[in-house]
């Protein structure tokens, strides 16, 4: 039963991710597209963890760990540290 | 995550504070090593944790705020419960046919010292039900919060009280 | 099927449901900020439930602790990203629209 549930959940999460990617196409802003990267990160981690259990491959958990650490760095790299851009658009 | 060095009222950390900070980092890093690697090559883990702790104590900016471990456990409990409610709340709103949201912006003046307390506050606001830390003013005092509905703002005050309690800050 | 497996299955299914809710919010909510709410909060709860279910199945303390660490880091990544994305959107807004 569990052996069936795990792959089914992986497929469900993949479909979910595909649906979320509609947002990339629709936009309308760059921030909206960045949201899909967030969705991609959190979904991929869940998929990797489920696969680790299903295929009895604990090493995949380490891959998920790496992914989740990259997720934070990706958005930092994309938008820069908050202090760097503090002079544009904050005079209110 | 937003503020560290930009404030003017920062005093450098004392030697004792740096040592406490180093010990805390050391314990956390060593636990992480044990978790990922088990007991083999324990010596390498010991050295790596010591190096990390030394670096952390050397680079710390401003005064680290002392916190009590048993209070952190209570704070973690509060945070877990709130973020659970936050997830359920937003899921319900997203699935509801009528989209039960009334988004608005609201400014909140943070009454916490710079450094860890304020950083923790800004980071945790985003996971409370219905609130999202959207922007921080130049001086790091005014936090711009986006709320899914105006009532959500009430929980921000409670969070602030919890953070102050965690770091034993008198107000 | 043992009790542990039933409980794990329930947790995994609930986790999947929250992932679905996150995506529905991402597609339905009217502005960037509201979409951020949906994505960060619902997906993190989803990840928590999936991690708890898998810890039960894995049946080892070390695997459970690793899953917990992964969840905590995911939480950190979500708050940092959410704040940065919201900030970016606001900066663009006050500079007069999207480029």
């Amino acid at each position: 039963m569990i052996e069936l549930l795990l792959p089914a959940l992986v497929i469900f999460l993949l479909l979910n991710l595909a649906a979320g990617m509609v947002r990339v196409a629709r936009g309308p802003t760059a921030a909206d597209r960045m949201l899909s990267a967030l969705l991609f990160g959190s979904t991929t981690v869940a998929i990797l963890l489920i696969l680790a259990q299903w295929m009895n491959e604990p090493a995949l958990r380490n891959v998920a760990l790496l992914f989740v650490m990259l997720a934070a760095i990706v958005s930092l790299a994309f938008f820069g540290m908050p202090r760097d851009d503090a002079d544009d658009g904050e005079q209110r | 995550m937003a503020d560290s060095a930009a404030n003017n009222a920062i005093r450098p950390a004392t030697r004792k504070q740096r040592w406490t900070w180093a010990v805390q980092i050391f314990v956390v890093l060593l636990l992480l090593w044990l978790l990922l690697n088990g007991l083999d090559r324990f010596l390498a883990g010991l050295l790596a944790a010591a190096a990390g702790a030394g670096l952390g104590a050397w680079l710390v900016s401003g005064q680290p705020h002392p916190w009590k471990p048993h209070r952190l456990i209570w704070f973690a409990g509060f945070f877990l419960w709130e973020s659970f409610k936050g997830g359920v709340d937003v899921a319900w709103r997203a699935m509801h046919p009528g989209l039960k949201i009334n988004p608005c912006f609201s400014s909140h003046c943070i009454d916490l010292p710079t450094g860890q307390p304020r950083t923790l506050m800004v980071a945790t606001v985003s996971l409370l039900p219905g609130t999202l830390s959207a922007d921080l003013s130049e001086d790091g005092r005014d936090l711009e919060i986006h709320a899914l509905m105006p009532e959500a703002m009430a929980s921000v005050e409670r969070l602030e009280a919890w953070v102050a309690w965690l770091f034993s800050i008198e107000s | 099927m043992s009790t542990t497996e039933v409980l794990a299955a329930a947790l995994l299914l609930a986790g999947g449901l929250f992932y679905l809710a996150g995506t529905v919010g991402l597609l339905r909510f009217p502005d960037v900020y509201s979409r951020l709410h949906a994505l960060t909060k619902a997906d993190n709860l989803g990840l928590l439930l999936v991690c708890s279910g898998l810890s039960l199945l894995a049946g080892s303390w070390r695997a459970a602790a690793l899953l917990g660490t992964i969840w905590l880091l995911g939480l950190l990544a979500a708050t940092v990203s959410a704040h940065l994305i919201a900030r970016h959107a606001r900066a663009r807004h006050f500079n007069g629209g999207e480029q």
Side-chain angles (χ1 to χ4, degrees), chain B residues 108-113 118 121 141 160 164 169 171:
Chain B
H108 178 84
C109 184
I110 308 179
D111 194 19
L112 291 169
R118 218 178 272 180
M121 164 100 187
R141 278 206 84 75
E160 195 166 16
I169 296 160
S171 57

Side-chain angles (χ1 to χ4, degrees), chain C residues 42-82:
Chain C
D43 275 23
N44 264 299
L45 188 50
L47 190 57
L48 173 66
L49 292 168
V50 167
C51 283
S52 330
L54 290 175
S55 311
L56 285 180
L57 287 181
S60 96
W61 280 108
R62 227 170 107 189
L66 183 56
L67 288 166
T69 312
I70 290 174
W71 177 67
L72 271 179
L73 284 170
L75 211 65
L76 188 69
T79 44
V80 172
S81 312

Side-chain angles (χ1 to χ4, degrees), chain A residues 1-3 5-6 9 12-13 16-17 19-23 26-36 38-39 42-43 45-46 49-50 53 58 61-62 64-65 68-69 71-72 75-76 78-83 85-86 88-90 92, chain C residues 1 5 8-10 12-13 16-17 19-24 26-29 31-32 35-36 39-40 43 47 50-51 54 57-58 63 66-67 69-70 73-78 80-85 87-92 94-95 98:
Chain A
M1 173 58 187
I2 277 286
E3 287 69 34
L5 177 69
L6 293 177
L9 204 57
F12 174 77
L13 285 176
N16 195 41
L17 182 59
M21 284 301 159
V22 170
R23 189 41 80 191
R26 266 208 228 156
T29 65
D32 282 305
R33 296 194 184 94
M34 200 55 207
L35 282 181
S36 302
L38 248 176
L39 176 71
S42 60
T43 313
V45 169
L49 291 175
I50 296 169
Q53 179 68 32
R61 293 204 186 101
N62 295 342
L65 184 67
V68 86
M69 289 200 277
S75 46
L76 267 178
F78 201 82
F79 295 116
M81 285 296 282
R83 286 291 156 203
D85 58 11
D88 65 288
E90 285 223 282
R92 291 192 293 278
Chain C
M1 228 168 122
E5 278 188 334
L12 286 170
L13 283 174
L17 217 65
Y19 269 98
L20 177 68
T23 306
V24 170
L26 180 65
L27 295 175
R28 282 187 80 200
F29 280 169
D31 56 288
V32 191
R35 287 176 204 138
L36 269 175
L39 212 52
T40 51
D43 275 23
L47 190 57
V50 167
C51 283
L54 290 175
L57 287 181
L66 183 56
L67 288 166
T69 312
I70 290 174
L73 284 170
L75 211 65
L76 188 69
V80 172
S81 312
H83 182 72
L84 289 178
I85 293 176
R87 200 184 173 98
H88 174 85
R90 277 178 69 83
R92 285 290 162 275
F94 284 106
N95 278 353
E98 178 65 19

Side-chain angles (χ1 to χ4, degrees), chain B residues 44-75:
Chain B
L46 220 57
L47 285 176
L55 199 66
W58 180 43
L59 290 177
V60 65
S61 67
Q63 291 196 324
H65 288 266
W67 49 274
K68 300 199 173 82
H70 70 276
R71 290 195 175 180
L72 184 65
I73 294 170
W74 283 107
F75 181 82

